Amino acid sequence: MSRLQLEQVRKSFKNGDTEEEVLKGVDVTLEEGEVTALIGASGSGKSTLLTIAAGLQRLSEGRVLFNNQNLAEWKAEQVRKIRAQHFGFVFQSSHLVPFLTVEEQLSIMMDIADRRGIKQEKQKQIKKILDEVGMSHRRTAYPSSLSGGEKQRVAVARAIIHEPSILFADEPTASLDSNRSRETMALIQQVTKTQNMATLIVTHDEQMLNYTDRIVKMSDGKIVS
Amino acid sequence: MAWKEMKKNKVKFLIVGSIVSLISMLTFIISGLADGLSQDNVSLIKNIPEGTFYMSGDSNDSYTQSHIDDQKLEDFKTEDEHSFAFSLQMGALKTQSDNQQSVAFLTATETPLLNTVKSGEVILDRSLKDEGIKIGDRLSSPQSEETFEVVDFIDHQKFNHSPVALIHSKDFNRMFRTKEYQLIYSEETTENMGGLQAFSKSEFLSTIPSYQAEQMTLNMIVWFLVVISGLLFSIFFYMMNVQKIAMYGILKALGIRTADLFQMIWSQMALITMTSLLVAALISQVFQVFAPDTIPYHLSVSTTVQLSVVFFVVGFLGSTLSGLQIKQIEPLQAIQQGEA
């Protein structure tokens, strides 16, 4: 079942007097339980496509369908709510909040997603996700005391704590060594299956494609395969 | 989240709080000294309740040139029984050991605001007690042959930075060769009092030579300090939040509401400012209790509250300004900056 459909997405930027088209009518569908990889050379438009799909920037033309509703037509506040409640994000850097412990990072994400609920249930959910990403033993640690790989694990945990429908990951292994990269990708693949999410991942690293279900190759703003 | 950040970065917030506290304490203390000097100058007038002061029409706004006849005083008494007349002249008193003290001689008709004194007696401001003058001492006037027996001391009665010496009208008239009072005070404003000029308390204070110039200087110092402190406050809070713009951008990308970020910014500002102002206010009030009498220091609770409100509002504006910048930041921009 499809979770997100991008239809004929176009994006142009003004560059002085000229208008540069970065996306030239792209169609992508994200299916539940599937990791879709976006690959391509730098400047091919893959990161722009991911950020448009994630509601982080507006498209120039086309449609982004989530639950059969076109996000491109929604107001910023409505898109924010969707992002908070239904989308999860893993960035190139972990971007953890420096003054929150591992479990507080997850707790705050549940608050942002309006999943406050009963304290015990919240704690149970945090424990479950930390167990899943193998970070239970570091639950009271601050980001400054975590290794790069641990930080990315916590970032993955934060991205899925509110049980989103779609996980967006923009080069999540770029700052990790090959062992840690494999671990992180295996984790993303695992949580995509266990939580039945749709995952869209941008990567440069071809070795990471072993952990994906579908590969979409982009070149010059178009899908080439 | 605001509290968690403060708990994690205790030293950073303690430093910011200490600086805010020290700056506000400096402003409170300078303000207390300014007000203290003002009290030291004219506490005699400041201690009289709000009302109207009258001078003769030909006085050129100078109480020393004013003269009011007895009939006018009677007219006032019929209108307001609490009204009274008084006169002031600068002079000096000499102790038996030839120690000379500058004083402001005061005489007044009967009023509950001032003690009554008989001819040949003087009541002095308590500051002269610290100079070694005691009840029963005999003081003489260097400019006449009058002598006075000290019968009492009164608190906080100064004029022109000199302690007040309250004497009987007969003695005053003999010493300064006058028969009339200079001023009438009434709790009520009476219209058309036959050529008399009416002044509110603040208007009357501004007619006193040196008072206005001194006050303008002191007020300028205090308000200059308030403006500088206020600017520092707002810059502090602005910088504190601007440093965290990237983090706020990431939180926005995750879906946090801008209103929640504003709440975080404001609650940190409120907690730091209120705690710092409370500490500063307490220290400056304690200083009031322990400050030596030779330092004129008077910091009223209302002045402390007024200055605190100004600082709080300025801190609020500074943090709101940074909040507006945070409102404008695009989540995408923050992510890209963080990954550059």
Side-chain angles (χ1 to χ4, degrees), chain A residues 133-202:
Chain A
V133 301
M135 286 297 291
S136 291
H137 62 296
R138 304 299 314 267
R139 64 185 178 81
T140 56
Y142 285 98
S144 56
S145 66
L146 300 177
S147 68
E150 285 177 323
K151 280 182 194 167
Q152 251 348 32
R153 280 176 171 272
V154 177
V156 172
R158 181 179 64 182
I160 60 169
I161 186 72
H162 55 301
E163 298 172 327
S165 314
I166 305 163
L167 175 66
F168 294 97
D170 190 4
E171 307 217 32
T173 60
S175 57
L176 303 176
D177 61 36
S178 53
N179 283 339
R180 300 277 172 267
S181 296
R182 279 194 291 275
E183 275 176 28
T184 305
M185 280 306 296
L187 180 63
I188 288 173
Q189 189 187 37
Q190 176 200 324
V191 296
T192 303
K193 308 290 176 203
T194 55
Q195 299 214 8
N196 207 25
M197 296 181 300
T199 295
L200 181 64
I201 184 165
V202 166

Side-chain angles (χ1 to χ4, degrees), chain B residues 259-305:
Chain B
D260 290 335
L261 293 179
F262 267 99
Q263 202 183 10
M264 180 179 169
I265 291 167
W266 282 331
S267 48
Q268 278 182 348
M269 184 282 301
L271 198 65
I272 295 171
T273 311
M274 284 198 291
T275 313
S276 307
L277 287 174
L278 196 69
V279 170
L282 276 174
I283 294 174
S284 42
Q285 287 295 331
V286 167
F287 180 72
Q288 180 150 271
V289 176
F290 293 104
D293 290 341
T294 45
I295 298 177
Y297 184 85
H298 181 260
L299 182 64
S300 66
V301 174
S302 67
T303 306
T304 312
V305 171

Side-chain angles (χ1 to χ4, degrees), chain A residues 51 56-57 77 80-81 83-85 87 89 91-100 104 107-109 112 116 142 144 158 170, chain B residues 1-2 4-9 244 247 250-258 260 264 268 330-332 334-339:
Chain A
T51 52
L56 290 170
Q57 67 174 315
E77 175 56 19
R80 180 202 66 76
K81 267 191 188 163
R83 262 202 330 263
Q85 293 172 354
F87 295 174
F89 293 93
F91 308 107
Q92 190 174 322
S93 306
S94 58
H95 286 310
L96 299 177
V97 181
F99 51 83
L100 297 181
E104 285 166 351
S107 173
I108 213 81
M109 189 59 228
I112 291 172
R116 287 176 171 88
Y142 285 98
S144 56
R158 181 179 64 182
D170 190 4
Chain B
M1 197 147 70
K4 279 173 182 160
E5 186 185 7
M6 294 175 82
K7 227 166 67 174
K8 175 78 169 79
N9 301 316
K244 294 186 285 188
M247 184 194 80
I250 299 298
L251 288 171
K252 280 178 86 171
L254 295 178
I256 201 167
R257 291 186 313 154
T258 308
D260 290 335
M264 180 179 169
Q268 278 182 348
E330 289 293 329
L332 187 62
I335 296 164
Q336 284 163 350
Q337 275 173 1
E339 286 169 0

Side-chain angles (χ1 to χ4, degrees), chain B residues 18-37:
Chain B
S18 306
I19 294 169
V20 171
S21 196
L22 286 171
I23 293 169
S24 41
M25 195 163 71
L26 177 74
T27 314
F28 288 158
I29 288 181
I30 297 289
S31 174
L33 289 170
D35 204 22
L37 268 175

Side-chain angles (χ1 to χ4, degrees), chain A residues 3-223:
Chain A
R3 284 282 165 94
L4 192 82
Q5 289 163 273
L6 294 132
E7 292 178 357
Q8 282 302 299
V9 171
R10 290 177 182 274
K11 179 73 181 174
S12 309
F13 292 104
K14 283 224 164 172
N15 192 0
D17 291 338
T18 57
E19 198 164 274
E20 197 181 332
E21 198 172 31
V22 180
L23 296 175
K24 298 168 181 169
V26 176
D27 295 299
V28 177
T29 301
L30 303 182
E31 302 287 344
E32 64 181 29
E34 254 188 29
V35 178
T36 305
L38 267 180
I39 58 165
S42 289
S44 59
K46 53 191 190 305
S47 283
T48 306
L49 184 65
L50 180 134
T51 52
I52 284 173
L56 290 170
Q57 67 174 315
R58 295 269 175 189
L59 43 69
S60 304
E61 272 178 55
R63 300 202 306 167
V64 178
L65 294 173
F66 175 73
N67 287 341
N68 293 320
Q69 304 237 352
N70 185 8
L71 294 191
E73 290 171 352
W74 285 23
K75 289 181 179 160
E77 175 56 19
Q78 291 172 305
V79 176
R80 180 202 66 76
K81 267 191 188 163
I82 294 290
R83 262 202 330 263
Q85 293 172 354
H86 300 286
F87 295 174
F89 293 93
V90 181
F91 308 107
Q92 190 174 322
S93 306
S94 58
H95 286 310
L96 299 177
V97 181
F99 51 83
L100 297 181
T101 62
V102 167
E103 61 184 353
E104 285 166 351
Q105 308 274 349
L106 308 194
S107 173
I108 213 81
M109 189 59 228
M110 288 182 84
D111 292 344
I112 291 172
D114 259 340
R115 298 278 297 270
R116 287 176 171 88
I118 302 163
K119 200 181 169 189
Q120 284 89 338
E121 279 180 17
K122 199 173 161 182
Q123 286 304 315
K124 214 169 127 186
Q125 171 73 353
I126 290 171
K127 189 181 176 310
K128 184 189 132 196
I129 297 296
L130 285 179
D131 282 341
E132 199 169 344
V133 301
M135 286 297 291
S136 291
H137 62 296
R138 304 299 314 267
R139 64 185 178 81
T140 56
Y142 285 98
S144 56
S145 66
L146 300 177
S147 68
E150 285 177 323
K151 280 182 194 167
Q152 251 348 32
R153 280 176 171 272
V154 177
V156 172
R158 181 179 64 182
I160 60 169
I161 186 72
H162 55 301
E163 298 172 327
S165 314
I166 305 163
L167 175 66
F168 294 97
D170 190 4
E171 307 217 32
T173 60
S175 57
L176 303 176
D177 61 36
S178 53
N179 283 339
R180 300 277 172 267
S181 296
R182 279 194 291 275
E183 275 176 28
T184 305
M185 280 306 296
L187 180 63
I188 288 173
Q189 189 187 37
Q190 176 200 324
V191 296
T192 303
K193 308 290 176 203
T194 55
Q195 299 214 8
N196 207 25
M197 296 181 300
T199 295
L200 181 64
I201 184 165
V202 166
T203 184
H204 267 115
D205 190 344
E206 289 194 359
Q207 285 186 323
M208 299 307 126
L209 299 180
N210 297 330
Y211 299 91
T212 63
D213 302 294
R214 203 151 55 95
I215 300 166
V216 176
K217 189 169 183 184
M218 289 188 70
S219 175
D220 195 24
K222 289 183 206 154
I223 290 172

